[in-house]
Coordinates of all heavy atoms in Angstrom, one line a residue:
Chain O
Q597 N 2.6 31.0 24.7 CA 2.6 30.4 23.2 C 1.6 31.3 22.4 O 0.5 31.6 22.8 CB 2.1 29.0 23.3 CG 2.0 28.3 21.9 CD 3.3 28.0 21.3 OE1 4.0 28.9 20.6 NE2 3.7 26.8 21.4
V599 N 0.3 31.5 18.2 CA 0.3 30.7 17.0 C -0.3 31.6 16.0 O -1.4 32.3 16.2 CB -0.6 29.5 17.2 CG1 -0.7 28.7 15.8 CG2 -0.1 28.6 18.4
A605 N -6.6 34.5 4.4 CA -7.6 34.0 3.4 C -6.8 33.7 2.1 O -5.7 34.4 1.9 CB -8.7 35.0 3.1
L606 N -7.3 32.8 1.4 CA -6.6 32.3 0.2 C -7.6 31.8 -0.8 O -8.6 31.1 -0.4 CB -5.7 31.1 0.6 CG -4.7 30.5 -0.3 CD1 -3.7 31.5 -0.8 CD2 -4.0 29.3 0.3
L614 N -2.5 23.6 -2.6 CA -2.6 24.6 -1.6 C -1.5 24.5 -0.5 O -1.1 23.3 -0.2 CB -4.0 24.4 -0.7 CG -5.2 24.8 -1.4 CD1 -6.4 24.1 -0.7 CD2 -5.3 26.4 -1.3
V615 N -0.9 25.6 -0.1 CA 0.1 25.6 0.9 C -0.3 26.6 2.1 O -0.5 27.8 1.9 CB 1.4 26.1 0.3 CG1 2.5 26.1 1.4 CG2 1.8 25.3 -0.8
C618 N 1.8 27.8 9.3 CA 1.5 28.0 10.7 C 2.8 28.2 11.4 O 3.8 27.5 11.2 CB 0.8 26.7 11.3 SG 0.5 26.7 13.1
F620 N 4.7 29.1 15.4 CA 4.4 29.2 16.8 C 5.7 29.7 17.5 O 6.8 29.5 17.1 CB 4.0 27.8 17.5 CG 4.8 26.6 16.9 CD1 5.9 26.2 17.6 CD2 4.5 26.0 15.7 CE1 6.6 25.1 17.2 CE2 5.2 24.9 15.3 CZ 6.3 24.4 16.0
T621 N 5.5 30.3 18.7 CA 6.6 30.9 19.3 C 7.5 30.1 20.3 O 8.6 30.4 20.5 CB 6.2 32.2 20.1 OG1 5.1 31.9 21.0 CG2 5.6 33.2 19.0
D622 N 6.8 29.1 21.0 CA 7.4 28.3 21.9 C 7.7 26.9 21.3 O 6.7 26.2 21.0 CB 6.5 28.2 23.2 CG 7.3 27.4 24.3 OD1 8.3 26.7 24.1 OD2 6.8 27.6 25.4
Y626 N 4.2 19.6 22.4 CA 4.0 18.1 22.6 C 3.4 17.6 21.3 O 3.9 16.5 20.9 CB 2.8 18.0 23.7 CG 2.5 16.6 24.1 CD1 3.5 15.8 24.8 CD2 1.3 16.1 24.0 CE1 3.2 14.6 25.2 CE2 0.9 14.8 24.4 CZ 1.9 14.1 25.0 OH 1.6 12.8 25.4
Q629 N -1.6 20.0 15.7 CA -2.7 19.5 14.9 C -3.2 20.4 13.9 O -3.2 21.7 14.1 CB -3.9 19.1 15.9 CG -3.6 17.9 16.7 CD -4.8 17.5 17.6 OE1 -5.8 17.1 17.0 NE2 -4.7 17.6 18.9
G638 N -18.4 22.7 13.9 CA -17.3 22.4 14.7 C -16.1 22.1 13.9 O -16.1 22.1 12.7
L639 N -15.0 21.7 14.6 CA -13.7 21.4 14.0 C -13.6 19.9 13.8 O -13.9 19.2 14.7 CB -12.6 21.9 14.9 CG -12.2 23.5 14.8 CD1 -13.4 24.3 15.4 CD2 -10.9 23.7 15.5
S641 N -10.5 17.1 13.0 CA -9.1 16.9 13.1 C -8.7 16.3 11.7 O -9.3 15.3 11.3 CB -8.7 16.1 14.2 OG -7.3 15.9 14.3
I645 N 0.6 15.7 14.3 CA 2.0 15.5 14.2 C 2.6 15.5 15.7 O 2.5 16.5 16.3 CB 2.8 16.5 13.4 CG1 2.1 16.7 12.0 CG2 4.2 16.0 13.2 CD1 2.8 17.8 11.2
Q649 N 8.1 13.8 15.3 CA 7.8 13.5 13.9 C 8.1 14.8 13.1 O 8.1 15.9 13.6 CB 6.4 13.0 13.7 CG 6.1 11.8 14.4 CD 4.6 11.4 14.2 OE1 3.7 12.3 14.3 NE2 4.3 10.1 14.0
Q652 N 3.3 14.2 8.5 CA 2.3 13.2 8.5 C 1.5 13.4 7.2 O 1.4 14.5 6.7 CB 1.3 13.4 9.7 CG 1.7 12.9 11.0 CD 1.6 11.4 11.1 OE1 1.0 10.8 10.2 NE2 2.0 10.8 12.1
S665 N 12.4 25.8 14.0 CA 12.0 27.1 13.5 C 10.7 27.5 13.9 O 10.2 28.6 13.5 CB 12.3 27.1 11.9 OG 11.3 26.2 11.4
R667 N 7.6 26.2 12.9 CA 6.8 26.2 11.7 C 6.2 24.9 11.3 O 6.8 23.8 11.5 CB 7.6 26.7 10.5 CG 8.0 28.2 10.6 CD 8.7 28.7 9.4 NE 9.2 30.0 9.7 CZ 9.9 30.7 8.7 NH1 10.0 30.2 7.5 NH2 10.2 31.9 9.0
Q676 N -9.8 20.9 -4.6 CA -11.1 20.7 -5.1 C -12.0 21.7 -4.5 O -11.7 22.1 -3.3 CB -11.7 19.2 -4.8 CG -10.8 18.1 -5.3 CD -11.0 16.8 -4.8 OE1 -12.0 16.6 -4.0 NE2 -10.3 15.8 -5.3
S680 N -12.9 23.9 0.2 CA -13.2 25.2 0.7 C -13.6 25.1 2.1 O -14.6 24.4 2.4 CB -14.2 25.9 -0.2 OG -13.8 26.0 -1.5
L684 N -7.4 25.5 10.5 CA -6.7 25.9 11.8 C -5.7 25.0 12.2 O -5.8 23.8 12.1 CB -7.7 26.1 12.9 CG -8.9 27.1 12.7 CD1 -10.2 26.4 12.3 CD2 -9.1 27.9 13.9
A692 N 1.9 21.8 29.5 CA 0.5 22.2 29.7 C -0.3 20.9 30.3 O -0.3 19.9 29.7 CB -0.1 22.7 28.5
G694 N -3.4 18.5 30.8 CA -4.5 18.2 30.0 C -4.3 18.4 28.6 O -5.3 18.3 27.9
K696 N -3.9 21.0 26.7 CA -4.8 22.0 26.1 C -4.0 22.6 25.0 O -2.8 22.7 24.9 CB -5.2 23.0 27.2 CG -3.9 23.8 27.8 CD -4.5 24.9 28.7 CE -3.4 25.7 29.2 NZ -3.8 26.9 29.9
L697 N -4.9 23.1 24.0 CA -4.3 23.6 22.7 C -4.4 25.1 22.6 O -5.2 25.7 23.2 CB -5.1 23.0 21.6 CG -5.2 21.5 21.4 CD1 -6.2 21.1 20.3 CD2 -3.8 21.0 21.1

Side-chain angles (χ1 to χ4, degrees):
Chain O
Q597 177 74 276
V599 182
L606 187 60
L614 282 163
V615 181
C618 172
F620 46 94
T621 54
D622 187 340
Y626 188 63
Q629 291 187 61
L639 280 68
S641 180
I645 311 176
Q649 297 174 317
Q652 278 283 355
S665 66
R667 294 183 184 182
Q676 303 168 359
S680 298
L684 298 101
K696 62 176 184 169
L697 300 175

